[in-house]
Amino acid sequence: MNRTVQKSLFFIVKSVRTSPSNFAAWRGLSTTPDPHTKVCIVGGGPAGFYTAQHIIKGRPDVQVDVYERLPVPFGLVRFGVAPDHPEVKNVINTFTQTAQHERCRFLGNVNVGKDVSVDELRQVYHAVVLSYGAEGNRSLGVPGEHLSGVYSAKDFVGWYNGLPYNRELQPDLSHDTAVILGQGNVAVDVARILLAPLDMLKKTDITQAALDALANSQVRRVLIVGRRGPMQVACTIKELREMVNLPGTQPDMLTDDFHGVNEALKDLPRPRKRLTELMLKALKEQAVKGAHRKWGFRFLRSPLDVLPSADGTRAAAIRLALNKLEGSGDEARAVPTGEVEEVPCGVIISSIGYKSLPIDSAVPFDPRKAIIPNTMGRVQETTGLYCSGWVKRGPTGVIATTMNDSFDTGRVLLQDLDSGAIDLSEARLGAQGIAPLLEKRGVRPVSFSDWEKISGEEVRRGEAQGKPREKMLDVQEMLSVAWS
């Protein structure tokens, strides 16, 4: 054994023996390399856990370590799924089973790319899978988008779902009209949260700060704007049905936006036909309800610029280009007609997509597509480096899409282990090689049992308010509870 390895193992043994409260995630590590194949996954969200699940089931000799930047696992299931969709979050039970498997280890509070480099991981693991998602925002690219009152849907969703990075957002909801740019499921989720009765939200795990802000909200009208037409709308029928049936609200559509849609219905695929029929039904019935809160799609419109208030400090309106469609179906393109319209609004939320960011200069990255260039999950021009989830394919699809995508990456990795494409002749230290680096850098990991302390405290606080849980918003508070 070389001196570097001996020194590393000495650090581990010394830490465990003399500081039992420190680095709890490393307790029980052997002082010699074990025979397991070592695989590291970067990112503790759906892609990471699904990839881990497939690898662990695929080979009995693989140890999988899942690194996560936050002290808490589950990524977008915790911070992206709407609070009034608890059934979607049930997948956490599956992830928990994976995390508690004897050959899986969760290591939270470790920021790969900052606390430890990808190259350092590759030196001590046989394979590394990058599954860190998409934390960036796609820019609107229009004048005024940086004015106060303009928010990204990613940040807005993170705010009401308790993502620590968004806890200070404090959106100004003192305006009558909100405009959401984009018509996917996230856009519809945001619209629903803005208009939902408080009694509905009080029973969810939405943060108390968000509840308080929504209780004082003056938003009474939400317009969901898309550049193409009704037959290209990106949300699913489930989300649309929830909007149509949202208590205390009524649709606010424009008849002209649906010109020619009835005639085209018969040629639509069944899922698209049902979705379109539901919109037409909402259009027909909208005048009947008489509710004081309204929502509606606005089709064939693209943002041109955000117009400032008189003092120039915040958004007061948005100018939209009116479009026409060239082509048909999903291939139809929006083309400007030259006409424009202005919509007064004090809240503008951009829901045009997330994007992945580079994690480390040593990892190839395609800035145009905002993904890691790969072939079936194998990172191009490398060996033993893989990717899964949004950073592999882009931020599209639902959790089931990510599951299939991650299983595919896991399958490819297992094939490479079986074929000898990954060299297994040399034992790797895995977590044993990373522990002394993190200790030296003052980084203390959070284990899954540490996370369960955080979760238990959140549930306790939630029960006191009649909620499933009250999420902690501060990382330091999380760490304090985890290590208590």
Side-chain angles (χ1 to χ4, degrees):
M1 186 180 296
N2 64 42
R3 289 182 179 275
T4 301
V5 172
Q6 286 178 326
K7 187 177 181 181
S8 297
L9 296 178
F10 172 76
F11 265 112
I12 298 168
V13 176
K14 181 181 179 184
S15 172
V16 172
R17 287 179 180 171
T18 63
S19 306
S21 64
N22 287 340
F23 292 83
W26 308 105
R27 289 175 187 162
L29 287 181
S30 170
T31 57
T32 57
D34 66 53
H36 282 114
T37 300
K38 304 291 175 44
V39 174
C40 158
I41 294 175
V42 179
F49 274 106
Y50 277 130
T51 306
Q53 175 187 330
H54 195 81
I55 293 170
I56 289 169
K57 286 184 176 180
R59 276 180 71 119
D61 65 335
V62 178
Q63 165 71 40
V64 177
D65 296 337
V66 179
Y67 290 82
E68 165 59 44
R69 179 173 57 170
L70 285 167
V72 296
F74 310 137
L76 277 183
V77 177
R78 176 179 168 96
F79 296 119
V81 173
D84 58 343
H85 286 173
E87 72 285 354
V88 180
K89 300 184 184 187
N90 287 337
V91 71
I92 284 176
N93 298 327
T94 301
F95 298 159
T96 296
Q97 290 177 2
T98 299
Q100 292 175 334
H101 193 281
E102 61 182 0
R103 289 186 285 111
C104 186
R105 182 187 292 115
F106 174 76
L107 302 162
N109 196 42
V110 180
N111 190 348
V112 173
K114 180 182 177 183
D115 299 331
V116 60
S117 72
V118 172
D119 275 347
E120 287 171 329
L121 292 173
R122 296 184 71 189
Q123 288 168 20
V124 297
Y125 287 92
H126 293 100
V128 173
V129 185
L130 301 172
S131 307
Y132 60 86
E135 63 172 325
N137 293 307
R138 285 184 59 192
S139 170
L140 286 170
V142 301
E145 68 175 301
H146 300 299
L147 286 169
S148 176
V150 182
Y151 312 95
S152 73
K154 184 185 78 68
D155 291 346
F156 195 82
V157 170
W159 166 71
Y160 65 64
N161 271 332
L163 183 63
Y165 310 123
N166 301 130
R167 61 183 296 222
E168 305 294 340
L169 189 67
Q170 296 180 336
D172 180 1
L173 304 180
S174 63
H175 306 271
D176 176 80
T177 299
V179 168
I180 302 173
L181 301 170
Q183 296 178 329
N185 283 345
V186 173
V188 179
D189 281 347
V190 170
R192 191 178 65 256
I193 296 299
L194 281 171
L195 296 177
L198 276 184
D199 287 344
M200 280 179 55
L201 296 178
K202 285 178 180 177
K203 301 172 186 176
T204 74
D205 66 358
I206 192 171
T207 66
Q208 189 59 45
L211 266 182
D212 293 343
L214 291 167
N216 294 309
S217 172
Q218 299 303 307
V219 174
R220 296 293 180 268
R221 181 171 178 251
V222 178
L223 302 179
I224 309 166
V225 176
R227 59 191 173 85
R228 299 195 293 170
M231 290 183 290
Q232 291 80 35
V233 70
C235 67
T236 58
I237 193 166
K238 176 182 182 293
E239 273 68 24
L240 177 59
R241 188 179 293 114
E242 287 176 330
M243 284 304 304
V244 171
N245 295 329
L246 190 64
T249 70
Q250 71 178 57
D252 176 12
M253 311 276 202
L254 300 178
T255 303
D256 287 349
D257 282 355
F258 291 84
H259 180 71
V261 170
N262 263 312
E263 293 76 12
L265 271 179
K266 65 180 186 302
D267 298 322
L268 295 178
R270 186 170 181 271
R272 173 67 66 184
K273 181 179 180 182
R274 291 176 60 227
L275 181 63
T276 308
E277 286 174 338
L278 184 55
M279 282 188 284
L280 289 169
K281 181 182 178 185
L283 174 69
K284 182 178 180 181
E285 297 176 352
Q286 65 184 15
V288 179
K289 286 192 171 182
H292 70 289
R293 293 189 173 196
K294 299 181 179 181
W295 64 274
F297 290 117
R298 291 293 182 270
F299 296 106
L300 299 168
R301 286 157 171 82
S302 299
L304 289 176
D305 54 347
V306 177
L307 305 178
S309 56
D311 60 6
T313 60
R314 60 164 296 109
I318 186 164
R319 183 181 288 123
L320 303 170
L322 302 188
N323 302 326
K324 62 180 180 180
L325 290 184
E326 289 187 353
S328 60
D330 291 340
E331 304 303 316
R333 293 188 309 113
V335 179
T337 63
E339 296 180 74
V340 300
E341 71 177 15
E342 293 181 8
V343 179
C345 56
V347 180
I348 298 171
I349 299 173
S350 170
S351 185
I352 60 172
Y354 298 16
K355 70 173 182 179
S356 296
L357 301 174
I359 191 172
D360 190 306
S361 59
V363 178
F365 191 79
D366 183 334
R368 187 179 65 85
K369 295 181 179 179
I371 60 170
I372 294 173
N374 69 92
T375 304
M376 297 172 60
R378 297 182 182 96
V379 176
Q380 292 178 5
E381 300 178 7
T382 63
T383 301
L385 188 61
Y386 301 82
C387 56
S388 67
W390 282 3
V391 76
K392 170 187 174 184
R393 72 178 191 275
T396 59
V398 294
I399 291 176
T401 317
T402 293
M403 178 185 72
N404 292 327
D405 168 280
S406 302
F407 286 175
D408 287 344
T409 293
R411 192 175 301 113
V412 164
L413 191 153
L414 291 171
Q415 288 171 0
D416 289 351
L417 290 175
D418 293 340
S419 70
I422 296 175
D423 183 8
L424 299 180
S425 62
E426 199 176 299
R428 297 290 178 95
L429 287 168
Q432 298 176 32
I434 298 303
L437 298 178
L438 295 180
E439 184 167 14
K440 184 178 180 181
R441 295 162 188 174
V443 178
R444 181 177 171 186
V446 168
S447 69
F448 199 78
S449 59
D450 291 335
W451 144 247
E452 289 177 321
K453 292 182 185 177
I454 297 171
S455 179
E457 177 61 18
E458 290 183 340
V459 170
R460 187 191 67 77
R461 295 179 186 183
E463 286 175 346
Q465 302 178 60
K467 300 171 64 178
R469 71 172 62 232
E470 184 61 45
K471 294 174 186 170
M472 296 182 197
L473 307 181
D474 181 70
V475 169
Q476 290 307 312
E477 183 184 16
M478 293 177 184
L479 296 177
S480 177
V481 171
W483 298 330
S484 60

